[in-house]
Amino acid sequence: MPGTDTFLSVNEARTRILAAVRPLAPVSLALAEVHGLVTAEDVASQVDVPGFDNSAFDGYALRAADVAGARADAGVSLRVVGEVAAGQAGEVHVEPGTAARIMTGAPIPPGADAVLPFEDTDGVHWAQKSGAANGEVHVLETAEPGENIRRRGGDVARGDVVAPKGRVLDAAHIGVLASVDVTEVRVHPRARVAILPTGDEIVEVGDPIAPGQVRNSNAWGLDALARRYGAIAERLPIAPDTEAGLRAAIRHGRDADLLVTIGGVSMGDYDLVRNVIASAGRMDFWQINMRPGKPLAFGEIDGTPVIGLPGNPVSSMVCFELFVRPALLKLMGHTRLVNPMVQPRALEPMRSSSGKRTYVRVTVSRDGDELVCAPAGEQDSFRLTSMTEGNGLAVLAEGAEIHAGDPVTVIALDEREMLLLSQPATLIP
């Protein structure tokens, strides 16, 4: 088991995990299923959008030359020859001295080269009886050729790449793909992660609990994190503290793209997970020079990567963010794998633990024009509530000591919240 008797750095451990995973093979999925996924190839449009010249306003389609002298106090009178509604090609033709009522999105009728909105006309002389046009409109503004006309291909031209390879598809991309009639997209699929809690002391939520037992909170929290990052999570039944029981449980997770175990990777008499990984497959490393989360194991069984997380609630969640999250993202074709970081000013002193890379749960907030942070309560690794109170992890290098007022690097646990905090709050009238 190479590397299991040494403490790796956080960066080396993450590098070795990421080197062992590859993006999942591309698949074609329906448009309704690809939100948040990464394109595996360029998607080019086979059509123009808009597919025809159309009106940007409700108003009148006309010839710009006919209203060259129009003014508010000297309107130009045009005969109205018909109406064009959205979705109707119609048979209206605009000749010199005429205009056609037109609705937003309706095709520009032949002969017209501009549209003026109703607001630029008197709009009251139009009448229609028995389907025959016999009205007129007084135009009160001049127009330029092409004014208020959305040109064919003005948004997307045939052949344009609307979603390049490697793009994470968001709501706007889905809308554009729909506009060019794409029904399927070639993407990297969602990674399937199996989450295996271990330990005789673990009891499922809702089941009767005895003295000395604890709830299966870790698996539920990590399940939610996996889904938050776009993966498909499966919580496996709790495995007992026996090698036979662990082997049987692990067999159920080998078909996943990534197997994550919880607990059983420390140095206790019943910490059997790393031994089972080593005997059933291959162990790459065990133990990292960090706190919380030192007893983290990594290996593979039958080609499936296995990350063994510590059992302490905070340790498992921190290690998930640092090691499991980037592995899942790489499997799903992402190239931006690490959490964004900010650098607020520390409000309280912080110190790394015993020469280890230390991650302190902190609350980042705004103080005037700058970001500040303070520890989110007590830092014991069993205090899971500190993860609910904090929104970041302050990264303290080995041997580092941060004084009040010093800048400190913080990993954002909620990217959107951190982005909002990083920008001054301004009300726009």
Side-chain angles (χ1 to χ4, degrees), residues 235-256:
R235 285 177 289 102
L236 300 178
I238 300 165
D241 284 326
T242 65
E243 290 203 10
L246 281 170
R247 288 179 188 277
I250 284 175
R251 279 197 294 270
H252 291 292
R254 288 181 303 178
D255 292 335

Side-chain angles (χ1 to χ4, degrees), residues 162-221:
V162 292
K165 179 180 178 180
R167 181 62 54 87
V168 181
L169 296 173
D170 61 15
H173 290 109
I174 301 300
V176 171
L177 290 168
S179 76
V180 300
D181 198 32
V182 168
T183 59
E184 287 190 345
V185 187
R186 195 82 171 156
V187 293
H188 296 283
R190 301 188 188 280
R192 296 170 298 118
V193 55
I195 300 172
L196 175 60
T198 72
D200 293 335
E201 77 280 15
I202 308 300
V203 177
E204 189 50 81
V205 175
D207 289 348
I209 191 167
Q213 294 182 318
V214 295
R215 291 295 180 190
N216 186 26
S217 60
N218 286 355
W220 282 87

Side-chain angles (χ1 to χ4, degrees), residues 41-295:
E41 60 187 20
D42 290 348
V43 181
S45 174
Q46 302 302 310
V47 298
D48 295 324
V49 178
F52 50 89
D53 293 351
N54 67 87
S55 177
F57 285 97
D58 296 331
Y60 288 91
L62 45 76
R63 299 171 69 254
D66 286 345
V67 294
R71 301 194 312 271
D73 60 348
V76 172
S77 180
L78 299 176
R79 182 169 60 87
V80 179
V81 294
E83 181 177 84
V84 187
Q88 296 180 357
E91 298 180 356
V92 176
H93 193 100
V94 174
E95 303 284 354
T98 68
R101 282 173 64 92
I102 192 167
M103 302 301 118
T104 302
I108 301 299
D113 63 3
V115 172
L116 282 179
F118 288 140
E119 297 89 325
D120 292 337
T121 71
D122 64 359
V124 298
H125 295 285
W126 163 249
Q128 194 169 25
K129 297 179 181 178
S130 302
N134 64 349
E136 63 178 14
V137 63
H138 293 167
V139 179
L140 309 178
E141 294 286 344
T142 59
E144 296 293 328
E147 187 170 344
N148 299 322
I149 293 178
R150 302 165 175 164
R151 292 299 184 189
R152 174 173 182 164
D155 186 14
V156 178
R158 180 191 295 266
D160 283 354
V161 173
V162 292
K165 179 180 178 180
R167 181 62 54 87
V168 181
L169 296 173
D170 61 15
H173 290 109
I174 301 300
V176 171
L177 290 168
S179 76
V180 300
D181 198 32
V182 168
T183 59
E184 287 190 345
V185 187
R186 195 82 171 156
V187 293
H188 296 283
R190 301 188 188 280
R192 296 170 298 118
V193 55
I195 300 172
L196 175 60
T198 72
D200 293 335
E201 77 280 15
I202 308 300
V203 177
E204 189 50 81
V205 175
D207 289 348
I209 191 167
Q213 294 182 318
V214 295
R215 291 295 180 190
N216 186 26
S217 60
N218 286 355
W220 282 87
L222 300 186
D223 176 287
L225 274 179
R227 296 174 189 275
R228 175 184 180 183
Y229 297 130
I232 299 170
E234 178 187 8
R235 285 177 289 102
L236 300 178
I238 300 165
D241 284 326
T242 65
E243 290 203 10
L246 281 170
R247 288 179 188 277
I250 284 175
R251 279 197 294 270
H252 291 292
R254 288 181 303 178
D255 292 335
D257 301 309
L258 179 66
L259 172 60
V260 174
T261 65
I262 307 171
V265 291
S266 191
M267 301 182 68
D269 294 343
Y270 297 97
D271 290 323
L272 306 174
V273 169
R274 61 191 179 95
N275 295 331
V276 171
I277 295 174
S279 60
R282 179 185 65 86
M283 271 288 292
D284 188 332
F285 64 79
W286 172 59
Q287 295 194 329
I288 300 175
N289 192 37
M290 63 178 287
R291 182 176 180 181
K294 182 183 76 171

Side-chain angles (χ1 to χ4, degrees), residues 395-411:
V395 184
L396 308 186
E398 297 81 350
E401 187 170 351
I402 302 296
H403 301 93
D406 288 348
V408 59
T409 298
V410 174
I411 297 172

Side-chain angles (χ1 to χ4, degrees), residues 360-383:
V360 179
R361 284 91 72 196
V362 295
T363 300
V364 178
S365 58
R366 173 168 284 279
D367 182 13
D369 292 332
E370 66 174 346
L371 294 181
V372 295
C373 73
E378 298 294 331
Q379 295 293 306
D380 305 275
S381 58
F382 75 91
R383 296 181 184 270

